[in-house]
Amino acid sequence: MNAGETQRAPWIVGVSGASGTPYAAAVLRALLDAGEAADLVVSRASRLTLLDETGISFRDAHWQEDLREWLARGADGKPGTFDVDVSGVRYWNAGDLAAGPSSGSYPAKGMLVVPASTAAVAGVALGLSKDLLQRAASVTLKERRPLVVAVREAPLNGQTLRHLVALDDAGASVVPASPAFYAGATHIQDLVDFVAGRVLDAAGVGHGLYRRWKGELGGGADRTDR
């Protein structure tokens, strides 16, 4: 790196196989809108979920094209809803354990796992590092960088709850994918954006995805400020 050149420091976004690919899309769009760089890791299971929920086949050789189509799609499945520039994204294959995010010396701001399946939660909590998503999350913890885990499963059994407590003890932020309604949601995208916004709040990334609570009852019915 030349003197005066700014080193790229991305947020790593890990997408696991849990249902909820619109959450990941909303987080990625908001990161890019905020001028942040993003490194994307898509697990093998999440490819199946993405295909089922959107009809998009995520292909390594055409990841930019597929990512652009995915991020342009609204939470209601309507294509072309958003205009997205994916030039700020770098993609890593989930099977590449020699990828940049597998090392603590790789410059990253932190990691967001969204959505997080119970399998991903267990793998990270136990330090299994079975794929790049789990390894990158483990590296994030050991380097004391922000790790946000947006778990999206129901119901949660005792084993998963213990894993989530272990992640909290290790310094991660556990953000259940639970949308709130005080923000005056009128569309499924509003509910998705609320969860994505809470994920970014936990990471300390600025955004305008949802109407914040102002301490005034009935504010959700007044949508003039949205």
Side-chain angles (χ1 to χ4, degrees), residues 151-195:
V151 61
R152 206 239 55 84
E153 296 278 6
L156 297 174
N157 62 26
Q159 187 176 44
T160 298
L161 291 170
R162 286 187 287 273
H163 289 153
L164 291 172
V165 170
L167 289 178
D168 179 78
D169 288 343
S173 295
V174 177
V175 180
S178 302
F181 296 86
Y182 63 78
T186 59
H187 191 277
I188 187 174
Q189 188 67 54
D190 298 326
L191 299 176
V192 168
D193 285 348
F194 180 89
V195 172

Side-chain angles (χ1 to χ4, degrees), residues 17-110:
S19 176
T21 55
Y23 293 130
V27 165
L28 282 164
R29 284 193 301 265
L31 285 173
L32 296 175
D33 286 345
E36 300 282 354
D39 277 20
L40 177 63
V41 181
V42 179
S43 75
R44 291 180 62 186
S46 68
R47 293 172 187 249
L48 299 177
T49 307
L50 183 63
L51 178 62
D52 184 54
E53 293 185 345
T54 69
I56 297 171
S57 296
F58 197 88
R59 304 160 294 174
D60 288 344
H62 303 279
W63 70 265
Q64 288 179 309
E65 174 186 342
D66 297 335
L67 178 62
R68 190 177 297 109
E69 181 183 359
W70 175 25
L71 298 190
R73 191 176 296 259
D76 59 359
K78 183 179 178 180
T81 300
F82 299 97
D83 183 17
V84 183
D85 178 5
V86 300
S87 60
V89 180
R90 184 172 185 179
Y91 168 71
W92 301 96
N93 184 285
D96 184 3
L97 292 178
S102 69
S103 172
S105 66
Y106 184 76
K109 292 184 176 179

Side-chain angles (χ1 to χ4, degrees), residues 11-15 24 27-28 31 38-42 110-114 133:
W11 285 95
I12 302 167
V13 178
V15 186
V27 165
L28 282 164
L31 285 173
D39 277 20
L40 177 63
V41 181
V42 179
M111 183 171 183
L112 316 174
V113 183
V114 53
L133 188 154

